[in-house]
Amino acid sequence: AAFIALASRPDQDLMFGSPGVGSLGHMMGELFVQATGARLRHVPYRGAGPALQDAIAGHVTVLCDNLPASLPHVQAGRLRGLAVAWPGRLAQLPDVPTFAQTGIAVLNDPAWFGL
């Protein structure tokens, strides 16, 4: 709720990073903006690695990322998990709510890829 309030203020210039235009992270970020009215500027990267590095360094305000890459950094305190797109809280991050628990149920569906 605090992040949504901050991201909705017109005097803020907050950025969300993603692995690239059209990526799952990009779509999740845009859906977050639509669902909350937040004012976030998209910063596309050339892959998840550079996006994650810039999030850790503080060059972007928030990152929509897959859990396996971000988990060690959240657990080490380099990043703070705000919410997960999963049906329930994760055992690895018991203090991080689901999007549904934060009131943004539209973002709660997990994504799967198949080849």
Side-chain angles (χ1 to χ4, degrees):
F3 178 72
I4 293 169
L6 177 68
S8 298
R9 290 177 39 186
D11 62 331
Q12 295 296 311
D13 183 28
L14 304 180
M15 298 173 285
F16 82 90
S18 80
V21 174
S23 66
L24 178 62
H26 179 202
M27 297 298 104
M28 291 292 285
E30 293 295 344
L31 191 56
F32 176 84
V33 166
Q34 287 180 354
T36 64
R39 301 168 50 94
L40 297 174
R41 188 164 32 107
H42 179 228
V43 179
Y45 285 85
R46 298 181 94 183
L52 182 59
Q53 289 173 343
D54 267 9
I56 292 168
H59 299 300
V60 291
T61 311
V62 68
L63 174 68
C64 300
D65 194 22
N66 292 315
L67 185 63
S70 298
L71 181 62
H73 303 289
V74 174
Q75 290 173 326
R78 289 184 290 274
L79 293 174
R80 181 172 44 175
L82 298 177
V84 295
W86 202 250
R89 289 189 185 222
L90 300 173
Q92 302 94 325
L93 299 170
D95 296 330
V96 178
T98 68
F99 277 107
Q101 290 171 328
T102 66
I104 315 170
V106 69
L107 288 170
N108 211 65
D109 292 329
W112 293 91
F113 294 90
L115 300 174

